[in-house]
Amino acid sequence: MIGLKDDFYIEELICNESFQQYCLGISLEDQILWSEWIETIPHRKADFEEAKKIVNILNVKQGSRLIQIKELKEGIKNRNAFAEKIELNKEVKLNPKPSYLKYTIGVAAAVLAVLFLYFYLNPYSKDKADNDISEIFSSGKSVRKTIVLSDGTVITLAKESTIKLDKSFDTGKRELWLTGEAFFDVKHDATHPFIVHTSFNDVSVLGTTFNVKAYPNSKITETSLIHGSVRVDSKTNPGHFVVLKPNQKVISSNQPERVDVSANKEYQVSSLQNDTLTKQPVETKWIRSRLDIDDLPLSVIAQKLQNWYGIEVKIEDDEVKDYRYSGTFENETIVKTLEALQLSYPFKFEIKNNKITIKK
């Protein structure tokens, strides 16, 4: 008998003796039992496989597997008393008695459990491996930094924010990892969803405009949707998600503890708040530039855009530099600002290697 519900925690699965037998291939009965059970809850299959992997990693070529898993189980039960055990250990004098050896093994099991709980259950430790990353972009101390990806997606990073691209991004796997805050204007591609991974949530889109705020030292993660549709999936509670509509935002708590709550309780969804003067969402105020120009040459405007958006803007033709514009522009990204300017006085621009080149 399995004795677990479909909302099991991975650590519960690892410490289940029947599951251990299944992983170690000891019991044919357990093999059949667990294989049939996981087929009834396909949404937990990834967690099921992860638990199998951990059991095998912890026990490869390390003596009796069952004994070590039992030690892990005991360590998890006593992890709250771990600090006290360490203090007691300081008072024990070294001697060859078997009782001391037994005690040391117990503490080692507790250490193993604590390390497991920290490195596996803490979402911040589960970052993308370096060999799976193709490029890393960081804003550093700059107020804003604009990145234009190979698929045409425009990303503006806030201060002290970083994105890491999947190594297969250019071939269609549009996934990246965000630390900090960024504004996304995603190029539509129905066959290749765009996924933003953060420590506690995954944001999936096809083509849309949204803002994600996920600083590692913050107690919350915010996702604000301007246009389109996004789905926010929880990492701490697999299977829980919320789908946002335009002008909505969702706030989730950055708590590594796995809490058995419904998606509605885990996520707080509300409408975006508009600034009383600009009537624009407060959540994206940091990215918006109100560009008031009065008969200014494009060379001056380009410098203003470069300073605001944090991306190099170069004008190749002298004639284009002297194009003059007047008006007020409020746009989410530098690309949309340039497109608005094009309507008044045509010019061409291209983006390559995160540099914008303007020409006649």
Side-chain angles (χ1 to χ4, degrees), residues 24-301:
L24 302 178
I26 295 174
S27 169
L28 179 59
E29 181 182 353
D30 286 320
Q31 290 280 327
I32 297 173
L33 184 67
W34 286 94
S35 296
E36 291 180 347
W37 183 68
I38 197 59
E39 290 299 325
T40 66
I41 48 172
H43 64 286
R44 299 303 307 274
K45 199 164 187 176
D47 294 325
F48 186 80
E49 294 298 326
E50 190 70 21
K52 286 174 59 179
K53 186 188 300 182
I54 292 173
V55 170
N56 289 326
I57 289 175
L58 290 175
N59 295 279
V60 172
K61 296 180 181 180
Q62 294 183 16
S64 173
R65 293 180 174 184
L66 289 177
I67 291 176
Q68 292 197 14
I69 293 177
K70 288 179 180 179
E71 288 178 345
L72 173 61
K73 182 177 181 180
E74 187 65 26
I76 291 175
K77 289 181 179 179
N78 294 290
R79 63 184 179 273
N80 293 331
F82 177 58
E84 181 180 349
K85 287 187 177 182
I86 292 297
E87 292 300 319
L88 290 173
N89 191 35
K90 293 179 180 178
E91 300 176 1
V92 177
K93 294 182 180 181
L94 189 62
N95 62 73
K97 293 182 179 179
S99 59
Y100 173 76
L101 179 60
K102 182 178 180 180
Y103 175 76
T104 303
I105 292 174
V107 173
V111 171
L112 179 61
V114 171
L115 289 176
F116 163 74
L117 289 168
Y118 178 78
F119 286 105
Y120 181 74
L121 297 183
N122 181 2
Y124 288 119
S125 68
K126 297 174 67 177
D127 202 358
K128 192 67 173 172
D130 289 341
N131 59 354
D132 291 330
I133 298 298
S134 63
E135 291 183 271
I136 299 176
F137 300 97
S138 179
S139 58
K141 297 297 182 181
S142 301
V143 178
R144 280 167 295 274
K145 181 178 178 64
T146 297
I147 309 297
V148 182
L149 303 182
S150 58
D151 68 337
T153 293
V154 181
I155 303 174
T156 304
L157 293 174
K159 187 177 181 180
E160 296 181 344
S161 299
T162 301
I163 58 171
K164 300 179 180 180
L165 298 187
D166 189 279
K167 66 179 181 181
S168 302
F169 191 93
D170 291 337
T171 59
K173 190 177 181 180
R174 301 199 301 170
E175 294 188 44
L176 58 81
W177 284 256
L178 168 69
T179 302
E181 184 171 9
F183 185 87
F184 297 83
D185 190 354
V186 178
K187 192 73 171 181
H188 179 76
D189 186 344
T191 60
H192 299 98
F194 192 98
I195 302 176
V196 179
H197 300 282
T198 69
S199 294
F200 287 89
N201 296 298
D202 293 329
V203 183
S204 304
V205 305
L206 291 177
T208 188
T209 306
F210 62 100
N211 192 84
V212 179
K213 188 175 183 179
Y215 285 100
N217 59 347
S218 175
K219 293 182 179 180
I220 61 173
T221 294
E222 293 186 31
T223 302
S224 303
L225 178 63
I226 311 303
H227 305 294
S229 178
V230 300
R231 168 172 164 158
V232 182
D233 285 85
S234 171
K235 287 184 176 179
T236 54
N237 289 284
H240 290 186
F241 66 90
V242 64
V243 177
L244 292 182
K245 298 178 181 179
N247 296 315
Q248 284 187 333
K249 74 173 181 180
V250 60
I251 297 177
S252 59
S253 177
N254 292 352
Q255 298 296 328
E257 295 83 3
R258 302 169 71 94
V259 182
D260 183 18
V261 297
S262 67
N264 292 332
K265 292 183 179 180
E266 179 179 4
Y267 294 121
Q268 299 177 25
V269 179
S270 61
S271 299
L272 299 184
Q273 298 180 1
N274 289 335
D275 184 271
T276 54
L277 295 176
T278 65
K279 306 302 181 183
Q280 300 294 337
V282 174
E283 290 81 0
T284 59
K285 186 177 181 180
W286 70 273
I287 189 61
R288 293 184 178 276
S289 172
R290 181 181 174 87
L291 186 62
D292 293 306
I293 56 178
D294 184 14
D295 195 30
L296 292 178
L298 187 57
S299 58
V300 174
I301 298 171

Side-chain angles (χ1 to χ4, degrees), residues 298-310:
L298 187 57
S299 58
V300 174
I301 298 171
Q303 188 61 48
K304 288 177 176 290
L305 294 175
Q306 178 173 292
N307 293 341
W308 179 265
Y309 289 104

